[in-house]
Amino acid sequence: MQENSFYPPIRTLMGPGPTDVHPKVLQALAMPTIGHLDPQFVTLMDEIKGLLKYAFKTENELTLPISGPGSLGMEACFVNLVEEGDKVIVCQNGVFGTRMADIVRRLKAVPIIVEDPWGRAIDPNKLEAALKKNPDVKFVAMVHAETSTGALSDVKTLTEIAHKYDCLTIVDAVTSLGGSKLLVDEWKLDVVYSGTQKCLSAPPGLSPVTFNQRAVDLIKKRKNITSWFMDMNLVLGYWGEGAKRSYHHTAPVNSLYGLHESLVLLKNEGLENSWKRHERLNSILEKGLKAFGLEYLVPKNERILHMNVVSVPEGQDEAKIRSDLLNNFNLEIGGGLGPLAGKYWRIGLMGYSCRMQNINQVFGALGRFCLNGVNTNFRPEFYLPSQQI
Ligand SMILES: *Cc1c(COP(=O)(O)O)cnc(C)c1O
């Protein structure tokens, strides 16, 4: 019997990721595969490193995409820096901070949890108190944009505090890179990892990371990095400068074509313009969602503007609505995680998904379920043609 090929439905992706992939990126992914040591591919790798430096706003030499999803980027940062017995402060205000603490424990290091409520930013005072109490802490880990709750933390201030106590920071910028202001060098962040499937709108499966000199010096001194695949000393032999390149693993060639194209699109738009687009379009989405009677979990000044975590209307079956949106409108939005399950939706307007036609799709589809709370003053002046945005 003949097997059938898989043809995915055409969806609009407005959950926590992945996001809609730009047609040019899809086209790049379909280009012919070449050898990963082909000089032309080596040139592509160098270009990707340069474009990532642009996106991260850094001059860090050690800036590259790890061959694996954001979660592998997270693990790679910890496994390269944290040694058995090290004390690590983990700021926890949602799912991803919890995951960081789990990784620290698996490395037989000691996590010290600084906890904030789900839906709030990390409190710098709590971090400072924990550092005062634990003078032997070596690292502080934090999530810039906590996708599980929609909270954006002030990683610049948190890093300043960590540095006062001679700690290095490990920062999760998976959801912020490309969509929210992130200045790796200016904010003096030591180690940062991200992902490709949120505001970069490339397919999932790659994790851009960047390490500053202080972090690199630490890694070079390490003799006992327990992961072979993620050991940056070895990865550098592969991603290092041009001719010296030696085989480490086979890079995901076509995925890197895709990442390259998504970074070209970002650079051509301009990073600051991309941040502005995310802010402007999300403020339109916010007006509509509020007019539908939906309430935001996170106070505005602590919010990831492109991750709208909003309450499910009273008495509605949120899972049923989400499945109706998916099956009848081809629209994907996210449900709540952990304590937010069943009570909140997560509506991402990120990367290539962040465009006016997607907002209109949400208004059209979700409006059907939110009629009770509708503010009758809500008029379609928000439905601007995309050319005006
Ligand atoms: C999505 C996400 C991750 C994990 O990325 P994957 O590509 O799913 O492994 C980590 N941290 C944050 C904040 C995220 O939003």
Side-chain angles (χ1 to χ4, degrees), residues 284-320:
I284 297 171
L285 179 62
E286 179 189 351
K287 281 182 195 150
L289 294 177
K290 282 186 171 162
F292 288 156
L294 308 186
E295 282 163 22
Y296 276 76
L297 172 69
V298 183
K300 182 94 187 221
N301 62 343
E302 297 178 17
R303 200 183 291 161
I304 313 168
L305 295 177
H306 44 84
M307 177 45 64
N308 301 270
V309 179
V310 290
S311 58
V312 173
E314 200 71 36
Q316 295 273 19
D317 178 348
E318 79 82 20
K320 193 173 164 300

PDB file of all heavy atoms in Angstrom, residues 284-320:
ATOM      1  N   ILE A 284      -3.051  47.794  19.226  1.00  0.00           N
ATOM      2  CA  ILE A 284      -4.348  47.667  18.535  1.00  0.00           C
ATOM      3  C   ILE A 284      -5.065  46.402  19.002  1.00  0.00           C
ATOM      4  O   ILE A 284      -6.251  46.421  19.340  1.00  0.00           O
ATOM      5  CB  ILE A 284      -4.141  47.628  17.003  1.00  0.00           C
ATOM      6  CG1 ILE A 284      -3.526  48.949  16.520  1.00  0.00           C
ATOM      7  CG2 ILE A 284      -5.468  47.359  16.295  1.00  0.00           C
ATOM      8  CD1 ILE A 284      -3.079  48.931  15.068  1.00  0.00           C
ATOM      9  N   LEU A 285      -4.307  45.306  19.075  1.00  0.00           N
ATOM     10  CA  LEU A 285      -4.904  44.052  19.553  1.00  0.00           C
ATOM     11  C   LEU A 285      -5.438  44.234  20.980  1.00  0.00           C
ATOM     12  O   LEU A 285      -6.539  43.782  21.304  1.00  0.00           O
ATOM     13  CB  LEU A 285      -3.853  42.934  19.503  1.00  0.00           C
ATOM     14  CG  LEU A 285      -4.317  41.557  19.989  1.00  0.00           C
ATOM     15  CD1 LEU A 285      -5.459  41.017  19.130  1.00  0.00           C
ATOM     16  CD2 LEU A 285      -3.152  40.554  19.982  1.00  0.00           C
ATOM     17  N   GLU A 286      -4.658  44.925  21.803  1.00  0.00           N
ATOM     18  CA  GLU A 286      -5.053  45.135  23.205  1.00  0.00           C
ATOM     19  C   GLU A 286      -6.399  45.869  23.293  1.00  0.00           C
ATOM     20  O   GLU A 286      -7.273  45.482  24.062  1.00  0.00           O
ATOM     21  CB  GLU A 286      -3.963  45.939  23.928  1.00  0.00           C
ATOM     22  CG  GLU A 286      -4.292  46.218  25.384  1.00  0.00           C
ATOM     23  CD  GLU A 286      -3.304  47.193  26.040  1.00  0.00           C
ATOM     24  OE1 GLU A 286      -2.266  47.513  25.426  1.00  0.00           O
ATOM     25  OE2 GLU A 286      -3.594  47.629  27.167  1.00  0.00           O
ATOM     26  N   LYS A 287      -6.549  46.911  22.467  1.00  0.00           N
ATOM     27  CA  LYS A 287      -7.810  47.669  22.508  1.00  0.00           C
ATOM     28  C   LYS A 287      -8.990  46.753  22.195  1.00  0.00           C
ATOM     29  O   LYS A 287     -10.033  46.814  22.849  1.00  0.00           O
ATOM     30  CB  LYS A 287      -7.775  48.812  21.500  1.00  0.00           C
ATOM     31  CG  LYS A 287      -6.991  50.004  21.996  1.00  0.00           C
ATOM     32  CD  LYS A 287      -7.032  51.136  20.964  1.00  0.00           C
ATOM     33  CE  LYS A 287      -5.958  52.156  21.281  1.00  0.00           C
ATOM     34  NZ  LYS A 287      -5.450  52.824  20.079  1.00  0.00           N
ATOM     35  N   GLY A 288      -8.815  45.922  21.183  1.00  0.00           N
ATOM     36  CA  GLY A 288      -9.909  45.026  20.796  1.00  0.00           C
ATOM     37  C   GLY A 288     -10.195  43.994  21.874  1.00  0.00           C
ATOM     38  O   GLY A 288     -11.356  43.762  22.229  1.00  0.00           O
ATOM     39  N   LEU A 289      -9.160  43.379  22.418  1.00  0.00           N
ATOM     40  CA  LEU A 289      -9.373  42.334  23.435  1.00  0.00           C
ATOM     41  C   LEU A 289     -10.055  42.921  24.665  1.00  0.00           C
ATOM     42  O   LEU A 289     -10.946  42.298  25.257  1.00  0.00           O
ATOM     43  CB  LEU A 289      -8.034  41.680  23.820  1.00  0.00           C
ATOM     44  CG  LEU A 289      -7.328  40.877  22.707  1.00  0.00           C
ATOM     45  CD1 LEU A 289      -5.977  40.348  23.189  1.00  0.00           C
ATOM     46  CD2 LEU A 289      -8.200  39.728  22.196  1.00  0.00           C
ATOM     47  N   LYS A 290      -9.646  44.139  25.013  1.00  0.00           N
ATOM     48  CA  LYS A 290     -10.290  44.790  26.171  1.00  0.00           C
ATOM     49  C   LYS A 290     -11.753  45.117  25.858  1.00  0.00           C
ATOM     50  O   LYS A 290     -12.613  44.982  26.727  1.00  0.00           O
ATOM     51  CB  LYS A 290      -9.537  46.060  26.548  1.00  0.00           C
ATOM     52  CG  LYS A 290      -8.265  45.769  27.318  1.00  0.00           C
ATOM     53  CD  LYS A 290      -7.635  47.064  27.787  1.00  0.00           C
ATOM     54  CE  LYS A 290      -6.482  46.810  28.735  1.00  0.00           C
ATOM     55  NZ  LYS A 290      -5.621  48.000  28.857  1.00  0.00           N
ATOM     56  N   ALA A 291     -12.000  45.534  24.620  1.00  0.00           N
ATOM     57  CA  ALA A 291     -13.383  45.838  24.245  1.00  0.00           C
ATOM     58  C   ALA A 291     -14.254  44.575  24.309  1.00  0.00           C
ATOM     59  O   ALA A 291     -15.451  44.651  24.562  1.00  0.00           O
ATOM     60  CB  ALA A 291     -13.425  46.433  22.837  1.00  0.00           C
ATOM     61  N   PHE A 292     -13.635  43.424  24.122  1.00  0.00           N
ATOM     62  CA  PHE A 292     -14.368  42.155  24.248  1.00  0.00           C
ATOM     63  C   PHE A 292     -14.574  41.771  25.718  1.00  0.00           C
ATOM     64  O   PHE A 292     -15.109  40.712  26.013  1.00  0.00           O
ATOM     65  CB  PHE A 292     -13.601  41.022  23.562  1.00  0.00           C
ATOM     66  CG  PHE A 292     -13.609  41.090  22.053  1.00  0.00           C
ATOM     67  CD1 PHE A 292     -12.598  40.477  21.318  1.00  0.00           C
ATOM     68  CD2 PHE A 292     -14.626  41.735  21.367  1.00  0.00           C
ATOM     69  CE1 PHE A 292     -12.601  40.519  19.925  1.00  0.00           C
ATOM     70  CE2 PHE A 292     -14.638  41.790  19.976  1.00  0.00           C
ATOM     71  CZ  PHE A 292     -13.617  41.178  19.260  1.00  0.00           C
ATOM     72  N   GLY A 293     -14.067  42.583  26.613  1.00  0.00           N
ATOM     73  CA  GLY A 293     -14.239  42.299  28.040  1.00  0.00           C
ATOM     74  C   GLY A 293     -13.149  41.411  28.620  1.00  0.00           C
ATOM     75  O   GLY A 293     -13.263  40.951  29.756  1.00  0.00           O
ATOM     76  N   LEU A 294     -12.091  41.135  27.857  1.00  0.00           N
ATOM     77  CA  LEU A 294     -11.024  40.276  28.374  1.00  0.00           C
ATOM     78  C   LEU A 294     -10.053  41.125  29.200  1.00  0.00           C
ATOM     79  O   LEU A 294      -9.747  42.256  28.833  1.00  0.00           O
ATOM     80  CB  LEU A 294     -10.276  39.593  27.222  1.00  0.00           C
ATOM     81  CG  LEU A 294     -11.164  38.852  26.211  1.00  0.00           C
ATOM     82  CD1 LEU A 294     -10.301  38.099  25.203  1.00  0.00           C
ATOM     83  CD2 LEU A 294     -12.116  37.891  26.899  1.00  0.00           C
ATOM     84  N   GLU A 295      -9.593  40.547  30.297  1.00  0.00           N
ATOM     85  CA  GLU A 295      -8.702  41.303  31.174  1.00  0.00           C
ATOM     86  C   GLU A 295      -7.291  40.751  31.140  1.00  0.00           C
ATOM     87  O   GLU A 295      -7.087  39.533  31.118  1.00  0.00           O
ATOM     88  CB  GLU A 295      -9.235  41.267  32.607  1.00  0.00           C
ATOM     89  CG  GLU A 295     -10.385  42.238  32.797  1.00  0.00           C
ATOM     90  CD  GLU A 295     -11.185  41.950  34.044  1.00  0.00           C
ATOM     91  OE1 GLU A 295     -10.632  41.305  34.953  1.00  0.00           O
ATOM     92  OE2 GLU A 295     -12.357  42.368  34.087  1.00  0.00           O
ATOM     93  N   TYR A 296      -6.327  41.666  31.171  1.00  0.00           N
ATOM     94  CA  TYR A 296      -4.920  41.263  31.147  1.00  0.00           C
ATOM     95  C   TYR A 296      -4.462  40.804  32.528  1.00  0.00           C
ATOM     96  O   TYR A 296      -4.807  41.422  33.540  1.00  0.00           O
ATOM     97  CB  TYR A 296      -4.045  42.431  30.683  1.00  0.00           C
ATOM     98  CG  TYR A 296      -3.986  42.543  29.165  1.00  0.00           C
ATOM     99  CD1 TYR A 296      -5.044  43.069  28.440  1.00  0.00           C
ATOM    100  CD2 TYR A 296      -2.877  42.084  28.468  1.00  0.00           C
ATOM    101  CE1 TYR A 296      -5.002  43.153  27.059  1.00  0.00           C
ATOM    102  CE2 TYR A 296      -2.817  42.169  27.091  1.00  0.00           C
ATOM    103  CZ  TYR A 296      -3.884  42.700  26.388  1.00  0.00           C
ATOM    104  OH  TYR A 296      -3.824  42.769  25.018  1.00  0.00           O
ATOM    105  N   LEU A 297      -3.658  39.744  32.539  1.00  0.00           N
ATOM    106  CA  LEU A 297      -3.112  39.248  33.806  1.00  0.00           C
ATOM    107  C   LEU A 297      -2.035  40.195  34.339  1.00  0.00           C
ATOM    108  O   LEU A 297      -1.961  40.453  35.537  1.00  0.00           O
ATOM    109  CB  LEU A 297      -2.498  37.847  33.572  1.00  0.00           C
ATOM    110  CG  LEU A 297      -1.714  37.230  34.731  1.00  0.00           C
ATOM    111  CD1 LEU A 297      -2.652  36.864  35.888  1.00  0.00           C
ATOM    112  CD2 LEU A 297      -0.951  35.974  34.279  1.00  0.00           C
ATOM    113  N   VAL A 298      -1.181  40.704  33.427  1.00  0.00           N
ATOM    114  CA  VAL A 298       0.029  41.420  33.841  1.00  0.00           C
ATOM    115  C   VAL A 298      -0.192  42.933  33.769  1.00  0.00           C
ATOM    116  O   VAL A 298      -0.717  43.426  32.772  1.00  0.00           O
ATOM    117  CB  VAL A 298       1.208  41.023  32.910  1.00  0.00           C
ATOM    118  CG1 VAL A 298       2.498  41.690  33.349  1.00  0.00           C
ATOM    119  CG2 VAL A 298       1.375  39.508  32.862  1.00  0.00           C
ATOM    120  N   PRO A 299       0.208  43.678  34.815  1.00  0.00           N
ATOM    121  CA  PRO A 299       0.126  45.150  34.725  1.00  0.00           C
ATOM    122  C   PRO A 299       0.941  45.658  33.533  1.00  0.00           C
ATOM    123  O   PRO A 299       1.986  45.083  33.211  1.00  0.00           O
ATOM    124  CB  PRO A 299       0.765  45.628  36.040  1.00  0.00           C
ATOM    125  CG  PRO A 299       1.003  44.422  36.877  1.00  0.00           C
ATOM    126  CD  PRO A 299       0.812  43.206  36.056  1.00  0.00           C
ATOM    127  N   LYS A 300       0.448  46.720  32.901  1.00  0.00           N
ATOM    128  CA  LYS A 300       1.020  47.158  31.615  1.00  0.00           C
ATOM    129  C   LYS A 300       2.544  47.377  31.671  1.00  0.00           C
ATOM    130  O   LYS A 300       3.267  46.995  30.762  1.00  0.00           O
ATOM    131  CB  LYS A 300       0.324  48.445  31.157  1.00  0.00           C
ATOM    132  CG  LYS A 300       0.788  48.974  29.813  1.00  0.00           C
ATOM    133  CD  LYS A 300      -0.082  48.475  28.674  1.00  0.00           C
ATOM    134  CE  LYS A 300       0.460  48.841  27.306  1.00  0.00           C
ATOM    135  NZ  LYS A 300      -0.567  49.254  26.366  1.00  0.00           N
ATOM    136  N   ASN A 301       3.038  47.982  32.750  1.00  0.00           N
ATOM    137  CA  ASN A 301       4.471  48.299  32.789  1.00  0.00           C
ATOM    138  C   ASN A 301       5.356  47.087  33.061  1.00  0.00           C
ATOM    139  O   ASN A 301       6.573  47.188  33.063  1.00  0.00           O
ATOM    140  CB  ASN A 301       4.750  49.399  33.826  1.00  0.00           C
ATOM    141  CG  ASN A 301       4.366  48.964  35.226  1.00  0.00           C
ATOM    142  OD1 ASN A 301       3.616  47.993  35.407  1.00  0.00           O
ATOM    143  ND2 ASN A 301       4.881  49.656  36.223  1.00  0.00           N
ATOM    144  N   GLU A 302       4.753  45.910  33.280  1.00  0.00           N
ATOM    145  CA  GLU A 302       5.536  44.681  33.479  1.00  0.00           C
ATOM    146  C   GLU A 302       5.216  43.662  32.387  1.00  0.00           C
ATOM    147  O   GLU A 302       5.503  42.483  32.528  1.00  0.00           O
ATOM    148  CB  GLU A 302       5.230  44.070  34.859  1.00  0.00           C
ATOM    149  CG  GLU A 302       5.618  44.970  36.013  1.00  0.00           C
ATOM    150  CD  GLU A 302       5.268  44.389  37.383  1.00  0.00           C
ATOM    151  OE1 GLU A 302       5.013  43.172  37.472  1.00  0.00           O
ATOM    152  OE2 GLU A 302       5.246  45.171  38.348  1.00  0.00           O
ATOM    153  N   ARG A 303       4.603  44.123  31.293  1.00  0.00           N
ATOM    154  CA  ARG A 303       4.048  43.189  30.316  1.00  0.00           C
ATOM    155  C   ARG A 303       4.944  43.004  29.101  1.00  0.00           C
ATOM    156  O   ARG A 303       5.546  43.963  28.619  1.00  0.00           O
ATOM    157  CB  ARG A 303       2.700  43.745  29.855  1.00  0.00           C
ATOM    158  CG  ARG A 303       1.779  42.738  29.241  1.00  0.00           C
ATOM    159  CD  ARG A 303       0.498  43.400  28.742  1.00  0.00           C
ATOM    160  NE  ARG A 303      -0.366  43.897  29.800  1.00  0.00           N
ATOM    161  CZ  ARG A 303      -1.324  44.804  29.602  1.00  0.00           C
ATOM    162  NH1 ARG A 303      -1.550  45.306  28.391  1.00  0.00           N
ATOM    163  NH2 ARG A 303      -2.059  45.204  30.611  1.00  0.00           N
ATOM    164  N   ILE A 304       5.023  41.757  28.619  1.00  0.00           N
ATOM    165  CA  ILE A 304       5.593  41.521  27.283  1.00  0.00           C
ATOM    166  C   ILE A 304       4.515  42.000  26.324  1.00  0.00           C
ATOM    167  O   ILE A 304       3.428  41.415  26.273  1.00  0.00           O
ATOM    168  CB  ILE A 304       5.824  40.017  26.975  1.00  0.00           C
ATOM    169  CG1 ILE A 304       6.506  39.273  28.112  1.00  0.00           C
ATOM    170  CG2 ILE A 304       6.579  39.849  25.665  1.00  0.00           C
ATOM    171  CD1 ILE A 304       6.482  37.747  27.935  1.00  0.00           C
ATOM    172  N   LEU A 305       4.795  43.047  25.559  1.00  0.00           N
ATOM    173  CA  LEU A 305       3.717  43.634  24.768  1.00  0.00           C
ATOM    174  C   LEU A 305       3.192  42.671  23.712  1.00  0.00           C
ATOM    175  O   LEU A 305       2.029  42.750  23.312  1.00  0.00           O
ATOM    176  CB  LEU A 305       4.198  44.933  24.116  1.00  0.00           C
ATOM    177  CG  LEU A 305       4.522  46.041  25.119  1.00  0.00           C
ATOM    178  CD1 LEU A 305       5.050  47.270  24.402  1.00  0.00           C
ATOM    179  CD2 LEU A 305       3.313  46.405  25.982  1.00  0.00           C
ATOM    180  N   HIS A 306       4.039  41.735  23.283  1.00  0.00           N
ATOM    181  CA  HIS A 306       3.610  40.837  22.199  1.00  0.00           C
ATOM    182  C   HIS A 306       3.125  39.479  22.687  1.00  0.00           C
ATOM    183  O   HIS A 306       2.968  38.556  21.902  1.00  0.00           O
ATOM    184  CB  HIS A 306       4.713  40.694  21.145  1.00  0.00           C
ATOM    185  CG  HIS A 306       6.087  40.503  21.705  1.00  0.00           C
ATOM    186  ND1 HIS A 306       6.562  39.286  22.077  1.00  0.00           N
ATOM    187  CD2 HIS A 306       7.084  41.389  21.945  1.00  0.00           C
ATOM    188  CE1 HIS A 306       7.806  39.421  22.524  1.00  0.00           C
ATOM    189  NE2 HIS A 306       8.152  40.686  22.462  1.00  0.00           N
ATOM    190  N   MET A 307       2.913  39.345  23.997  1.00  0.00           N
ATOM    191  CA  MET A 307       2.328  38.107  24.532  1.00  0.00           C
ATOM    192  C   MET A 307       1.158  38.499  25.414  1.00  0.00           C
ATOM    193  O   MET A 307       1.326  38.908  26.566  1.00  0.00           O
ATOM    194  CB  MET A 307       3.396  37.323  25.312  1.00  0.00           C
ATOM    195  CG  MET A 307       2.904  36.054  25.985  1.00  0.00           C
ATOM    196  SD  MET A 307       1.862  35.000  24.982  1.00  0.00           S
ATOM    197  CE  MET A 307       3.001  34.526  23.694  1.00  0.00           C
ATOM    198  N   ASN A 308      -0.047  38.430  24.829  1.00  0.00           N
ATOM    199  CA  ASN A 308      -1.244  38.925  25.500  1.00  0.00           C
ATOM    200  C   ASN A 308      -1.881  37.803  26.320  1.00  0.00           C
ATOM    201  O   ASN A 308      -2.516  36.907  25.771  1.00  0.00           O
ATOM    202  CB  ASN A 308      -2.236  39.453  24.451  1.00  0.00           C
ATOM    203  CG  ASN A 308      -1.625  40.572  23.611  1.00  0.00           C
ATOM    204  OD1 ASN A 308      -1.721  41.740  23.937  1.00  0.00           O
ATOM    205  ND2 ASN A 308      -0.952  40.195  22.518  1.00  0.00           N
ATOM    206  N   VAL A 309      -1.665  37.852  27.613  1.00  0.00           N
ATOM    207  CA  VAL A 309      -2.247  36.824  28.486  1.00  0.00           C
ATOM    208  C   VAL A 309      -3.518  37.419  29.076  1.00  0.00           C
ATOM    209  O   VAL A 309      -3.467  38.340  29.896  1.00  0.00           O
ATOM    210  CB  VAL A 309      -1.236  36.394  29.568  1.00  0.00           C
ATOM    211  CG1 VAL A 309      -1.852  35.341  30.484  1.00  0.00           C
ATOM    212  CG2 VAL A 309       0.032  35.844  28.898  1.00  0.00           C
ATOM    213  N   VAL A 310      -4.653  36.917  28.597  1.00  0.00           N
ATOM    214  CA  VAL A 310      -5.948  37.531  28.938  1.00  0.00           C
ATOM    215  C   VAL A 310      -6.919  36.493  29.491  1.00  0.00           C
ATOM    216  O   VAL A 310      -6.845  35.310  29.158  1.00  0.00           O
ATOM    217  CB  VAL A 310      -6.583  38.215  27.698  1.00  0.00           C
ATOM    218  CG1 VAL A 310      -5.809  39.468  27.304  1.00  0.00           C
ATOM    219  CG2 VAL A 310      -6.685  37.249  26.515  1.00  0.00           C
ATOM    220  N   SER A 311      -7.844  36.981  30.315  1.00  0.00           N
ATOM    221  CA  SER A 311      -8.797  36.098  30.991  1.00  0.00           C
ATOM    222  C   SER A 311      -9.799  35.516  29.998  1.00  0.00           C
ATOM    223  O   SER A 311     -10.214  36.173  29.039  1.00  0.00           O
ATOM    224  CB  SER A 311      -9.551  36.899  32.054  1.00  0.00           C
ATOM    225  OG  SER A 311     -10.203  37.999  31.431  1.00  0.00           O
ATOM    226  N   VAL A 312     -10.200  34.289  30.254  1.00  0.00           N
ATOM    227  CA  VAL A 312     -11.265  33.655  29.481  1.00  0.00           C
ATOM    228  C   VAL A 312     -12.592  34.212  30.000  1.00  0.00           C
ATOM    229  O   VAL A 312     -12.754  34.365  31.213  1.00  0.00           O
ATOM    230  CB  VAL A 312     -11.209  32.121  29.702  1.00  0.00           C
ATOM    231  CG1 VAL A 312     -12.393  31.424  29.062  1.00  0.00           C
ATOM    232  CG2 VAL A 312      -9.881  31.562  29.193  1.00  0.00           C
ATOM    233  N   PRO A 313     -13.539  34.557  29.096  1.00  0.00           N
ATOM    234  CA  PRO A 313     -14.810  35.123  29.591  1.00  0.00           C
ATOM    235  C   PRO A 313     -15.510  34.167  30.561  1.00  0.00           C
ATOM    236  O   PRO A 313     -15.455  32.943  30.378  1.00  0.00           O
ATOM    237  CB  PRO A 313     -15.650  35.291  28.322  1.00  0.00           C
ATOM    238  CG  PRO A 313     -14.701  35.201  27.182  1.00  0.00           C
ATOM    239  CD  PRO A 313     -13.502  34.446  27.645  1.00  0.00           C
ATOM    240  N   GLU A 314     -16.102  34.750  31.556  1.00  0.00           N
ATOM    241  CA  GLU A 314     -16.841  34.011  32.592  1.00  0.00           C
ATOM    242  C   GLU A 314     -17.737  32.932  31.981  1.00  0.00           C
ATOM    243  O   GLU A 314     -18.468  33.198  31.025  1.00  0.00           O
ATOM    244  CB  GLU A 314     -17.713  35.034  33.354  1.00  0.00           C
ATOM    245  CG  GLU A 314     -18.186  34.611  34.719  1.00  0.00           C
ATOM    246  CD  GLU A 314     -17.040  34.587  35.732  1.00  0.00           C
ATOM    247  OE1 GLU A 314     -16.138  35.469  35.655  1.00  0.00           O
ATOM    248  OE2 GLU A 314     -17.050  33.699  36.578  1.00  0.00           O
ATOM    249  N   GLY A 315     -17.647  31.722  32.534  1.00  0.00           N
ATOM    250  CA  GLY A 315     -18.578  30.663  32.142  1.00  0.00           C
ATOM    251  C   GLY A 315     -18.287  30.006  30.796  1.00  0.00           C
ATOM    252  O   GLY A 315     -19.051  29.161  30.350  1.00  0.00           O
ATOM    253  N   GLN A 316     -17.213  30.384  30.142  1.00  0.00           N
ATOM    254  CA  GLN A 316     -16.913  29.788  28.831  1.00  0.00           C
ATOM    255  C   GLN A 316     -15.930  28.625  28.974  1.00  0.00           C
ATOM    256  O   GLN A 316     -15.062  28.649  29.843  1.00  0.00           O
ATOM    257  CB  GLN A 316     -16.283  30.837  27.904  1.00  0.00           C
ATOM    258  CG  GLN A 316     -17.212  31.982  27.551  1.00  0.00           C
ATOM    259  CD  GLN A 316     -18.085  31.674  26.331  1.00  0.00           C
ATOM    260  OE1 GLN A 316     -18.260  30.518  25.961  1.00  0.00           O
ATOM    261  NE2 GLN A 316     -18.621  32.710  25.727  1.00  0.00           N
ATOM    262  N   ASP A 317     -16.080  27.634  28.118  1.00  0.00           N
ATOM    263  CA  ASP A 317     -15.172  26.489  28.111  1.00  0.00           C
ATOM    264  C   ASP A 317     -13.994  26.832  27.204  1.00  0.00           C
ATOM    265  O   ASP A 317     -14.102  26.766  25.981  1.00  0.00           O
ATOM    266  CB  ASP A 317     -15.931  25.254  27.608  1.00  0.00           C
ATOM    267  CG  ASP A 317     -15.038  24.032  27.525  1.00  0.00           C
ATOM    268  OD1 ASP A 317     -13.792  24.181  27.630  1.00  0.00           O
ATOM    269  OD2 ASP A 317     -15.589  22.928  27.347  1.00  0.00           O
ATOM    270  N   GLU A 318     -12.876  27.210  27.822  1.00  0.00           N
ATOM    271  CA  GLU A 318     -11.777  27.781  27.029  1.00  0.00           C
ATOM    272  C   GLU A 318     -11.188  26.768  26.040  1.00  0.00           C
ATOM    273  O   GLU A 318     -10.842  27.131  24.920  1.00  0.00           O
ATOM    274  CB  GLU A 318     -10.711  28.404  27.943  1.00  0.00           C
ATOM    275  CG  GLU A 318      -9.734  27.470  28.595  1.00  0.00           C
ATOM    276  CD  GLU A 318      -8.567  27.076  27.703  1.00  0.00           C
ATOM    277  OE1 GLU A 318      -8.285  27.780  26.725  1.00  0.00           O
ATOM    278  OE2 GLU A 318      -7.971  26.026  27.989  1.00  0.00           O
ATOM    279  N   ALA A 319     -11.092  25.502  26.444  1.00  0.00           N
ATOM    280  CA  ALA A 319     -10.476  24.507  25.563  1.00  0.00           C
ATOM    281  C   ALA A 319     -11.351  24.289  24.325  1.00  0.00           C
ATOM    282  O   ALA A 319     -10.859  24.115  23.208  1.00  0.00           O
ATOM    283  CB  ALA A 319     -10.267  23.194  26.307  1.00  0.00           C
ATOM    284  N   LYS A 320     -12.656  24.330  24.537  1.00  0.00           N
ATOM    285  CA  LYS A 320     -13.588  24.144  23.428  1.00  0.00           C
ATOM    286  C   LYS A 320     -13.479  25.314  22.443  1.00  0.00           C
ATOM    287  O   LYS A 320     -13.482  25.131  21.224  1.00  0.00           O
ATOM    288  CB  LYS A 320     -15.010  24.032  23.981  1.00  0.00           C
ATOM    289  CG  LYS A 320     -16.006  23.539  22.953  1.00  0.00           C
ATOM    290  CD  LYS A 320     -17.360  23.268  23.580  1.00  0.00           C
ATOM    291  CE  LYS A 320     -18.421  23.174  22.488  1.00  0.00           C
ATOM    292  NZ  LYS A 320     -18.526  24.428  21.698  1.00  0.00           N
TER     293      LYS A 320
END
